[in-house]
Amino acid sequence: MNVLDWFLAPFQYTFMRTAALAGVLVSLTCASLGAYVVLRRMAFIGDALAHTVLPGLVIAYLNRWNMTVGAILAGIATALGIGWLSRRREVREDTAIGILFTGMFALGILLMSSVRSFRDFTHMLFGYIVGVTDAQLRLFALIALVVLVVLILLHKELELTSFDPTHAQVIGLRADRLRDVLLVLMALAVVGAIQAVGVVLTSALLIVPAAAAAMLTRRLVPMMALASAIAIVATLVGLLASYHLDVSSGATIVLTCIVCFLTAWVLRALRERLSRTWPVSGD
Amino acid sequence: MRFCLPYGGSRSEQPPTNAPALAAHGVTVRYPGAARAALEGLDWVAPCGARVALVGPNGAGKSTLLKAIAGLLPVAAGSLLVFGAPVGAFRHRVAYLAQRGELDWHFPISVRRLVLTGRYPHLGWLRWPTRADWRRADEALERLQLLDLAERQIGELSGGQQQRALLARALAQEADLLLLDEPLNAVDAATREVVSAVLRDLQRQGRTVIVATHDLDRLQADFDDALFLMDGRVVARGVSAVGERVHHELLGNHRVAVAA
């Protein structure tokens, strides 16, 4: 089998084409938001959001409601809950999030274990991107559109509150409200990511491509674009690897992201060594 | 009319004429959750165009006063008017330079874009900076001798250059009232020169500048009014009175040190 076949042959199947398209949409959404997640040190919140969605998924499943809608509602409720908790000072924010997220996740597992069939729940935990339906695909496209449009429209405000909340407040911007907006966008992004890589690995799609991009650029917008490109490539390569090796796609997608991160890390180290050996004149 | 969705709701364009830059009557400020007031019963009027120094030991209430004027801390009692209106009415006319530590200097943003954020209160929601806004930012960078460094990531600047970048942002904002919290703390001689020159320019343009400072050598040269704060209260007013008080305090400390 030649290299081109390795890449193209799997896509003669409709389910692979749908999976690839879903992967691209989810990657684009998660990675562009991921830049803020990494820069604002919200990685833990991203992980928590993914886990707290589980009871929403299970409750929707048990009642035969639309599971994606259940996930979105649970995600938004959590996002606003975290926003509310972080404005209060009785408990440290990371402790509060830790309590909320493990509690919700435990509730999800409890509900899951009350049902006999575990097949669908395994997909929730570890992802099942080749099982994406056309309706889900349309929803992921809508989520990607909403997230990107909000990121573009609120770009200068999100950027400013991320690095200088004091100036933002002086000129009349509410940094906490903009944080709530980011949290809701993250909740939306997480719902797609759960389908692709599962609850357990979702935060990888938010964090790893953006962290890799942060190694290579010192500008926000290029960082978002690069993170999206890395995530798309990693998702497609991971999907193909999973097809050829017949292993879990969630695992191969996340591991490919990690390989990208390590590559970026090595590139940065090499670049720093080079600039030390031959410094640019005038610097 | 140009499309405008200002931050923080309504926005007043013109301040009432003849109103002082700042009028404080019995102003008391408390940090959230703190029992003791950080600033108590302040009565003070600063006319437009004044250059005022706030002097006093750490914890005296200098930063508290600046934060209250900037709208970062609520006024617990008394009235605090900026250009004749309550705090928050003229947000685009007030620039506040926090101490350097309050920014995330690792954030991936260029010096030019940092200065451009000074234009945001004029833009409001959903409007992108225009070419004129970028030009204002560049003019401010040039005035602070930072144009060569405009494309650097902000963390690559030295402490003094970062302070200049923040002052450049205040210039780009074209604020009428500038609140500077220890702008000369731990900066190089070149920065001191440039900052002093810019403060003189600002006064010539009729702008009001209030500076919390430990730099007492330049009190007479750089300021035309001063407040000496201690434990949240004003204990001396006027440049010469504050100068004497500072002298007295220093001698007092010296005597204590000798006695110990």
Side-chain angles (χ1 to χ4, degrees):
Chain A
M1 186 174 67
N2 66 36
V3 180
L4 205 62
D5 267 356
W6 193 89
F7 278 102
L8 293 183
F11 291 116
Q12 61 189 296
Y13 300 108
T14 316
F15 75 89
M16 280 298 281
R17 287 200 296 272
T18 313
L21 200 51
V24 168
L25 289 170
V26 167
S27 305
L28 192 66
T29 316
C30 285
S32 50
L33 260 180
Y36 283 120
V37 177
V38 166
L39 293 170
R40 297 172 70 125
R41 300 175 185 87
M42 291 166 89
F44 183 52
I45 297 180
D47 198 27
L49 269 175
H51 283 75
T52 51
V53 163
L54 188 66
L57 279 169
V58 179
I59 291 170
Y61 175 83
L62 294 177
N63 292 296
R64 298 181 195 287
W65 298 333
N66 185 324
M67 285 173 61
T68 316
V69 173
I72 290 176
L73 291 179
I76 289 175
T78 310
L80 297 178
I82 289 174
W84 182 75
L85 274 175
S86 65
R87 274 195 284 281
R88 305 173 65 84
R89 304 280 157 116
E90 291 98 349
V91 189
R92 275 175 182 278
E93 185 190 61
D94 55 343
T95 309
I97 294 167
I99 293 168
L100 189 72
F101 120 60
T102 49
M104 292 278 276
F105 193 56
L107 180 68
I109 292 174
L110 182 87
L111 290 169
M112 261 169 65
S113 60
S114 68
V115 188
R116 292 237 177 85
S117 161
F118 272 93
R119 195 179 56 87
D120 295 289
F121 297 136
T122 318
H123 293 161
M124 287 179 204
L125 289 180
F126 301 112
Y128 189 56
I129 197 167
V130 288
V132 171
T133 63
D134 282 352
Q136 276 175 317
L137 194 63
R138 281 195 290 275
L139 198 69
F140 293 171
L142 185 67
I143 289 176
L145 187 71
V146 168
V147 169
L148 291 179
V149 165
V150 174
L151 283 184
I152 291 168
L153 289 182
L154 298 183
H155 176 70
K156 68 184 197 303
E157 290 81 12
L158 286 170
E159 181 186 62
L160 176 60
T161 51
S162 297
F163 79 94
D164 193 356
T166 308
H167 177 65
Q169 199 184 338
V170 171
I171 65 175
L173 278 173
R174 293 276 306 265
D176 52 343
R177 291 268 177 269
L178 283 156
R179 195 180 125 97
D180 288 348
V181 170
L182 262 189
L183 284 170
V184 170
L185 294 183
M186 278 167 73
L188 290 176
V190 153
V191 171
I194 286 173
Q195 187 69 40
V197 296
V199 165
V200 183
L201 295 176
T202 283
S203 65
L205 276 188
L206 279 172
I207 300 160
V208 183
M215 294 276 154
L216 300 175
T217 171
R218 285 182 169 176
R219 290 290 177 274
L220 181 57
V221 176
M223 180 176 160
M224 289 174 158
L226 192 57
S228 303
I230 291 172
I232 288 171
V233 169
T235 306
L236 293 180
V237 171
L239 181 63
L240 288 169
S242 130
Y243 174 88
H244 288 295
L245 305 173
D246 195 20
V247 290
S248 155
S249 57
T252 51
I253 289 171
V254 171
L255 286 174
T256 320
C257 286
I258 302 283
V259 169
C260 291
F261 173 76
L262 292 175
T263 312
W265 195 36
V266 170
L267 281 177
R268 183 194 167 101
L270 282 177
R271 196 169 62 178
E272 274 176 8
R273 168 124 349 144
L274 278 177
S275 67
R276 232 175 290 147
T277 319
W278 296 291
V280 182
S281 61
D283 250 19
Chain B
M1 210 184 97
R2 211 168 43 163
F3 167 75
C4 189
L5 279 174
Y7 298 139
S10 64
R11 158 172 164 169
S12 324
E13 280 301 331
Q14 289 303 320
T17 45
N18 300 329
L22 196 76
H25 298 290
V27 168
T28 296
V29 181
R30 215 171 264 127
Y31 279 89
R36 209 175 64 88
L39 190 69
E40 207 162 357
L42 175 78
D43 289 300
W44 178 42
V45 174
C48 287
R51 284 184 306 174
V52 187
L54 302 178
V55 185
N58 288 327
K62 307 187 295 285
S63 296
T64 308
L65 175 54
L66 292 180
K67 283 184 176 157
I69 302 168
L72 293 168
L73 283 173
V75 174
S79 92
L80 183 58
L81 300 181
V82 178
F83 298 116
V87 170
F90 300 118
R91 288 185 195 279
H92 57 297
R93 292 179 174 268
V94 180
Y96 168 72
L97 269 74
Q99 293 185 15
R100 277 204 311 280
E102 294 187 26
L103 242 87
D104 177 4
W105 292 98
H106 295 293
F107 197 84
I109 188 173
S110 67
V111 177
R112 178 175 274 132
R113 224 182 139 79
L114 167 72
V115 173
L116 187 73
T117 63
R119 301 299 305 161
Y120 289 6
H122 297 278
L123 295 168
W125 300 103
L126 303 179
R127 266 178 62 204
W128 296 84
T130 62
R131 212 173 290 164
D133 293 314
W134 286 99
R135 205 172 50 236
R136 290 263 159 72
D138 274 2
E139 285 163 10
L141 280 165
E142 188 162 25
R143 183 67 191 91
L144 273 304
Q145 299 175 11
L146 286 172
L147 208 47
D148 296 345
L149 306 175
E151 284 308 314
R152 294 276 182 98
Q153 190 267 334
I154 52 176
E156 293 172 31
L157 300 186
S158 71
Q161 289 163 345
Q162 289 178 345
Q163 196 64 58
R164 269 144 63 193
L166 290 178
L167 187 54
R169 171 165 76 183
L171 292 192
Q173 189 181 334
E174 301 180 297
D176 295 312
L177 173 61
L178 290 92
L179 311 165
L180 284 65
D181 201 348
E182 304 198 6
L184 298 176
N185 205 3
V187 299
D188 50 292
T191 297
R192 267 164 203 273
E193 280 306 310
V194 179
V195 170
S196 293
V198 168
L199 292 187
R200 278 195 298 276
D201 284 358
L202 287 168
Q203 193 200 25
R204 233 170 283 140
Q205 296 162 8
R207 321 239 173 190
T208 314
V209 185
I210 304 176
V211 187
T213 181
H214 283 294
D215 196 32
L216 303 166
D217 308 336
R218 310 204 54 125
L219 210 55
Q220 303 274 357
D222 279 356
F223 298 99
D224 33 51
D225 195 5
L227 295 184
F228 193 106
L229 288 160
M230 212 171 211
D231 293 326
R233 288 175 179 281
V234 176
V235 294
R237 284 164 195 264
V239 174
S240 51
V242 167
E244 274 167 31
R245 177 80 194 202
V246 168
H247 191 65
H248 178 74
E249 292 289 326
L250 286 177
L251 276 182
N253 286 344
H254 183 64
R255 249 181 241 130
V256 172
V258 170

